[in-house]
Amino acid sequence: MAKDTLRLDKAVSHNFDVPRSAAAKLIKAGEVEVNGEIVLDPASKISVTDEIVIDGYEVEASDGFKKRVFMLNKPSGYVCADRDNNNPVVINIFSDIPKFTQMHCVGRLDIDTTGLLLVTDDGDLNHKITSPKSEVTKTYLVSTRDKIVPKDVELFKKGLKHPEEKTRYKSALLEILSDHEALVTVTEGRFHEVKRLFECVDNEVTELKRLYIGQLKLDDSLEEGEYIPLEDEDLQKVFLSYSPE
């Protein structure tokens, strides 16, 4: 932030996702502590590094103005949309954090696809990652109905044409792990891409989980539905292309 100080009511509003008028009422009611002391004047100037506490929830004053990025292990059954009348949406998983409604999924995973999903309120970062020009790699763990055969590796590499698509898919990396399991890395974000790649070779995906975005790997400790905040050094890995170990 450019300034070192800001009004208390503005800081409360941004950090706790309430209107300025509601923030002012909380302050006047003695519900707000700054550095351990109750402050009653909404217009009080505080430092961006001051600690604000409301009902036991503590934040640094500047936190509400920072862009946030989270790594989520997306569970099956959730859709990557801001709202949906028929299914639960990913954003509601974050309902326990302030201003969660300002968060958006970075790209999309199908409703039955699990694994690594980034969620952020940073629109510029979201666009940078999802832009086709960035060619950010996405790597999935795939389970299939039929046996995956070695010739598929070359077919994926050359680029396949699905009958329901007008253009061929770009080259994809297929790493066979076992008869019915593989890693697939793509650079596009086309509709049902991984599933349709396997349809092109007369196979069917039975389970799909994203493990990597670039070189950023899904945290092994995250259960489905759990998330952790990411730092700048984590995000740098997103723009490094995945390569087999």
Side-chain angles (χ1 to χ4, degrees), residues 32-52:
V32 179
E33 293 183 8
V34 179
N35 296 334
E37 296 184 2
I38 294 175
V39 179
L40 299 174
D41 183 3
S44 296
K45 292 290 186 178
I46 65 170
S47 169
V48 294
T49 59
D50 283 345
E51 299 294 334
I52 303 173

PDB file of all heavy atoms in Angstrom, residues 32-52:
ATOM      1  N   VAL A  32     -14.295  -3.395  18.650  1.00  0.00           N
ATOM      2  CA  VAL A  32     -13.062  -3.450  17.861  1.00  0.00           C
ATOM      3  C   VAL A  32     -11.857  -3.086  18.729  1.00  0.00           C
ATOM      4  O   VAL A  32     -11.846  -2.040  19.377  1.00  0.00           O
ATOM      5  CB  VAL A  32     -13.136  -2.491  16.657  1.00  0.00           C
ATOM      6  CG1 VAL A  32     -11.830  -2.539  15.862  1.00  0.00           C
ATOM      7  CG2 VAL A  32     -14.318  -2.849  15.772  1.00  0.00           C
ATOM      8  N   GLU A  33     -10.855  -3.966  18.717  1.00  0.00           N
ATOM      9  CA  GLU A  33      -9.598  -3.693  19.415  1.00  0.00           C
ATOM     10  C   GLU A  33      -8.493  -3.442  18.399  1.00  0.00           C
ATOM     11  O   GLU A  33      -8.423  -4.107  17.359  1.00  0.00           O
ATOM     12  CB  GLU A  33      -9.197  -4.878  20.293  1.00  0.00           C
ATOM     13  CG  GLU A  33     -10.115  -5.138  21.467  1.00  0.00           C
ATOM     14  CD  GLU A  33      -9.610  -6.287  22.330  1.00  0.00           C
ATOM     15  OE1 GLU A  33      -8.472  -6.754  22.077  1.00  0.00           O
ATOM     16  OE2 GLU A  33     -10.347  -6.721  23.227  1.00  0.00           O
ATOM     17  N   VAL A  34      -7.641  -2.488  18.694  1.00  0.00           N
ATOM     18  CA  VAL A  34      -6.458  -2.217  17.885  1.00  0.00           C
ATOM     19  C   VAL A  34      -5.248  -2.357  18.797  1.00  0.00           C
ATOM     20  O   VAL A  34      -5.127  -1.636  19.797  1.00  0.00           O
ATOM     21  CB  VAL A  34      -6.500  -0.805  17.265  1.00  0.00           C
ATOM     22  CG1 VAL A  34      -5.224  -0.553  16.444  1.00  0.00           C
ATOM     23  CG2 VAL A  34      -7.730  -0.641  16.392  1.00  0.00           C
ATOM     24  N   ASN A  35      -4.396  -3.309  18.464  1.00  0.00           N
ATOM     25  CA  ASN A  35      -3.222  -3.600  19.284  1.00  0.00           C
ATOM     26  C   ASN A  35      -3.594  -3.828  20.742  1.00  0.00           C
ATOM     27  O   ASN A  35      -2.920  -3.370  21.670  1.00  0.00           O
ATOM     28  CB  ASN A  35      -2.188  -2.476  19.160  1.00  0.00           C
ATOM     29  CG  ASN A  35      -1.635  -2.352  17.762  1.00  0.00           C
ATOM     30  OD1 ASN A  35      -1.620  -3.309  16.994  1.00  0.00           O
ATOM     31  ND2 ASN A  35      -1.179  -1.157  17.408  1.00  0.00           N
ATOM     32  N   GLY A  36      -4.725  -4.523  20.953  1.00  0.00           N
ATOM     33  CA  GLY A  36      -5.129  -4.894  22.306  1.00  0.00           C
ATOM     34  C   GLY A  36      -5.950  -3.873  23.051  1.00  0.00           C
ATOM     35  O   GLY A  36      -6.361  -4.118  24.188  1.00  0.00           O
ATOM     36  N   GLU A  37      -6.225  -2.719  22.431  1.00  0.00           N
ATOM     37  CA  GLU A  37      -7.004  -1.680  23.096  1.00  0.00           C
ATOM     38  C   GLU A  37      -8.257  -1.361  22.296  1.00  0.00           C
ATOM     39  O   GLU A  37      -8.222  -1.281  21.064  1.00  0.00           O
ATOM     40  CB  GLU A  37      -6.175  -0.407  23.276  1.00  0.00           C
ATOM     41  CG  GLU A  37      -4.962  -0.584  24.187  1.00  0.00           C
ATOM     42  CD  GLU A  37      -4.222   0.734  24.402  1.00  0.00           C
ATOM     43  OE1 GLU A  37      -4.694   1.761  23.869  1.00  0.00           O
ATOM     44  OE2 GLU A  37      -3.185   0.721  25.084  1.00  0.00           O
ATOM     45  N   ILE A  38      -9.365  -1.163  22.992  1.00  0.00           N
ATOM     46  CA  ILE A  38     -10.616  -0.800  22.329  1.00  0.00           C
ATOM     47  C   ILE A  38     -10.534   0.637  21.823  1.00  0.00           C
ATOM     48  O   ILE A  38     -10.126   1.543  22.558  1.00  0.00           O
ATOM     49  CB  ILE A  38     -11.812  -0.946  23.300  1.00  0.00           C
ATOM     50  CG1 ILE A  38     -12.004  -2.419  23.663  1.00  0.00           C
ATOM     51  CG2 ILE A  38     -13.088  -0.377  22.681  1.00  0.00           C
ATOM     52  CD1 ILE A  38     -13.071  -2.658  24.701  1.00  0.00           C
ATOM     53  N   VAL A  39     -10.900   0.830  20.564  1.00  0.00           N
ATOM     54  CA  VAL A  39     -10.932   2.169  19.949  1.00  0.00           C
ATOM     55  C   VAL A  39     -12.367   2.451  19.549  1.00  0.00           C
ATOM     56  O   VAL A  39     -13.010   1.641  18.875  1.00  0.00           O
ATOM     57  CB  VAL A  39     -10.002   2.242  18.720  1.00  0.00           C
ATOM     58  CG1 VAL A  39     -10.064   3.637  18.094  1.00  0.00           C
ATOM     59  CG2 VAL A  39      -8.572   1.888  19.104  1.00  0.00           C
ATOM     60  N   LEU A  40     -12.877   3.630  19.940  1.00  0.00           N
ATOM     61  CA  LEU A  40     -14.296   3.942  19.736  1.00  0.00           C
ATOM     62  C   LEU A  40     -14.567   4.920  18.603  1.00  0.00           C
ATOM     63  O   LEU A  40     -15.724   5.136  18.238  1.00  0.00           O
ATOM     64  CB  LEU A  40     -14.880   4.521  21.036  1.00  0.00           C
ATOM     65  CG  LEU A  40     -14.833   3.579  22.244  1.00  0.00           C
ATOM     66  CD1 LEU A  40     -15.290   4.310  23.495  1.00  0.00           C
ATOM     67  CD2 LEU A  40     -15.677   2.348  22.006  1.00  0.00           C
ATOM     68  N   ASP A  41     -13.511   5.486  18.029  1.00  0.00           N
ATOM     69  CA  ASP A  41     -13.687   6.490  16.971  1.00  0.00           C
ATOM     70  C   ASP A  41     -13.449   5.863  15.591  1.00  0.00           C
ATOM     71  O   ASP A  41     -12.322   5.475  15.273  1.00  0.00           O
ATOM     72  CB  ASP A  41     -12.718   7.651  17.183  1.00  0.00           C
ATOM     73  CG  ASP A  41     -12.894   8.763  16.151  1.00  0.00           C
ATOM     74  OD1 ASP A  41     -13.815   8.663  15.307  1.00  0.00           O
ATOM     75  OD2 ASP A  41     -12.106   9.729  16.185  1.00  0.00           O
ATOM     76  N   PRO A  42     -14.491   5.764  14.748  1.00  0.00           N
ATOM     77  CA  PRO A  42     -14.322   5.168  13.418  1.00  0.00           C
ATOM     78  C   PRO A  42     -13.312   5.905  12.548  1.00  0.00           C
ATOM     79  O   PRO A  42     -12.728   5.312  11.642  1.00  0.00           O
ATOM     80  CB  PRO A  42     -15.724   5.263  12.810  1.00  0.00           C
ATOM     81  CG  PRO A  42     -16.634   5.349  13.987  1.00  0.00           C
ATOM     82  CD  PRO A  42     -15.891   6.131  15.021  1.00  0.00           C
ATOM     83  N   ALA A  43     -13.109   7.190  12.810  1.00  0.00           N
ATOM     84  CA  ALA A  43     -12.203   7.991  11.981  1.00  0.00           C
ATOM     85  C   ALA A  43     -10.760   7.935  12.453  1.00  0.00           C
ATOM     86  O   ALA A  43      -9.884   8.563  11.856  1.00  0.00           O
ATOM     87  CB  ALA A  43     -12.679   9.447  11.946  1.00  0.00           C
ATOM     88  N   SER A  44     -10.509   7.156  13.494  1.00  0.00           N
ATOM     89  CA  SER A  44      -9.143   7.053  14.008  1.00  0.00           C
ATOM     90  C   SER A  44      -8.200   6.558  12.924  1.00  0.00           C
ATOM     91  O   SER A  44      -8.532   5.664  12.142  1.00  0.00           O
ATOM     92  CB  SER A  44      -9.094   6.086  15.192  1.00  0.00           C
ATOM     93  OG  SER A  44      -9.838   6.560  16.268  1.00  0.00           O
ATOM     94  N   LYS A  45      -7.009   7.147  12.889  1.00  0.00           N
ATOM     95  CA  LYS A  45      -5.991   6.722  11.946  1.00  0.00           C
ATOM     96  C   LYS A  45      -5.145   5.627  12.598  1.00  0.00           C
ATOM     97  O   LYS A  45      -4.672   5.777  13.728  1.00  0.00           O
ATOM     98  CB  LYS A  45      -5.091   7.896  11.551  1.00  0.00           C
ATOM     99  CG  LYS A  45      -5.790   8.968  10.731  1.00  0.00           C
ATOM    100  CD  LYS A  45      -6.118   8.462   9.329  1.00  0.00           C
ATOM    101  CE  LYS A  45      -6.678   9.599   8.464  1.00  0.00           C
ATOM    102  NZ  LYS A  45      -6.967   9.132   7.090  1.00  0.00           N
ATOM    103  N   ILE A  46      -4.967   4.527  11.882  1.00  0.00           N
ATOM    104  CA  ILE A  46      -4.139   3.444  12.392  1.00  0.00           C
ATOM    105  C   ILE A  46      -3.072   3.086  11.373  1.00  0.00           C
ATOM    106  O   ILE A  46      -3.201   3.386  10.180  1.00  0.00           O
ATOM    107  CB  ILE A  46      -4.981   2.195  12.735  1.00  0.00           C
ATOM    108  CG1 ILE A  46      -5.607   1.606  11.465  1.00  0.00           C
ATOM    109  CG2 ILE A  46      -6.060   2.541  13.761  1.00  0.00           C
ATOM    110  CD1 ILE A  46      -6.251   0.246  11.673  1.00  0.00           C
ATOM    111  N   SER A  47      -2.041   2.423  11.828  1.00  0.00           N
ATOM    112  CA  SER A  47      -0.969   1.972  10.935  1.00  0.00           C
ATOM    113  C   SER A  47      -1.406   0.741  10.163  1.00  0.00           C
ATOM    114  O   SER A  47      -2.207  -0.069  10.651  1.00  0.00           O
ATOM    115  CB  SER A  47       0.288   1.661  11.740  1.00  0.00           C
ATOM    116  OG  SER A  47       1.250   0.987  10.942  1.00  0.00           O
ATOM    117  N   VAL A  48      -0.886   0.577   8.977  1.00  0.00           N
ATOM    118  CA  VAL A  48      -1.222  -0.600   8.168  1.00  0.00           C
ATOM    119  C   VAL A  48      -0.707  -1.883   8.804  1.00  0.00           C
ATOM    120  O   VAL A  48      -1.148  -2.981   8.460  1.00  0.00           O
ATOM    121  CB  VAL A  48      -0.661  -0.473   6.734  1.00  0.00           C
ATOM    122  CG1 VAL A  48      -1.334   0.661   5.988  1.00  0.00           C
ATOM    123  CG2 VAL A  48       0.861  -0.301   6.753  1.00  0.00           C
ATOM    124  N   THR A  49       0.216  -1.755   9.767  1.00  0.00           N
ATOM    125  CA  THR A  49       0.755  -2.938  10.444  1.00  0.00           C
ATOM    126  C   THR A  49       0.070  -3.206  11.779  1.00  0.00           C
ATOM    127  O   THR A  49       0.403  -4.181  12.457  1.00  0.00           O
ATOM    128  CB  THR A  49       2.265  -2.785  10.679  1.00  0.00           C
ATOM    129  OG1 THR A  49       2.502  -1.619  11.470  1.00  0.00           O
ATOM    130  CG2 THR A  49       3.013  -2.662   9.353  1.00  0.00           C
ATOM    131  N   ASP A  50      -0.899  -2.369  12.175  1.00  0.00           N
ATOM    132  CA  ASP A  50      -1.603  -2.576  13.436  1.00  0.00           C
ATOM    133  C   ASP A  50      -2.464  -3.828  13.376  1.00  0.00           C
ATOM    134  O   ASP A  50      -2.971  -4.203  12.311  1.00  0.00           O
ATOM    135  CB  ASP A  50      -2.493  -1.367  13.762  1.00  0.00           C
ATOM    136  CG  ASP A  50      -1.695  -0.183  14.285  1.00  0.00           C
ATOM    137  OD1 ASP A  50      -0.529  -0.382  14.664  1.00  0.00           O
ATOM    138  OD2 ASP A  50      -2.250   0.938  14.313  1.00  0.00           O
ATOM    139  N   GLU A  51      -2.638  -4.458  14.555  1.00  0.00           N
ATOM    140  CA  GLU A  51      -3.474  -5.658  14.649  1.00  0.00           C
ATOM    141  C   GLU A  51      -4.889  -5.273  15.068  1.00  0.00           C
ATOM    142  O   GLU A  51      -5.080  -4.557  16.049  1.00  0.00           O
ATOM    143  CB  GLU A  51      -2.894  -6.641  15.669  1.00  0.00           C
ATOM    144  CG  GLU A  51      -1.494  -7.148  15.327  1.00  0.00           C
ATOM    145  CD  GLU A  51      -1.467  -8.014  14.078  1.00  0.00           C
ATOM    146  OE1 GLU A  51      -2.506  -8.619  13.752  1.00  0.00           O
ATOM    147  OE2 GLU A  51      -0.407  -8.082  13.417  1.00  0.00           O
ATOM    148  N   ILE A  52      -5.875  -5.749  14.309  1.00  0.00           N
ATOM    149  CA  ILE A  52      -7.279  -5.493  14.601  1.00  0.00           C
ATOM    150  C   ILE A  52      -7.922  -6.798  15.039  1.00  0.00           C
ATOM    151  O   ILE A  52      -7.736  -7.832  14.384  1.00  0.00           O
ATOM    152  CB  ILE A  52      -8.022  -4.941  13.375  1.00  0.00           C
ATOM    153  CG1 ILE A  52      -7.361  -3.659  12.866  1.00  0.00           C
ATOM    154  CG2 ILE A  52      -9.491  -4.683  13.692  1.00  0.00           C
ATOM    155  CD1 ILE A  52      -7.946  -3.159  11.558  1.00  0.00           C
TER     156      ILE A  52
END
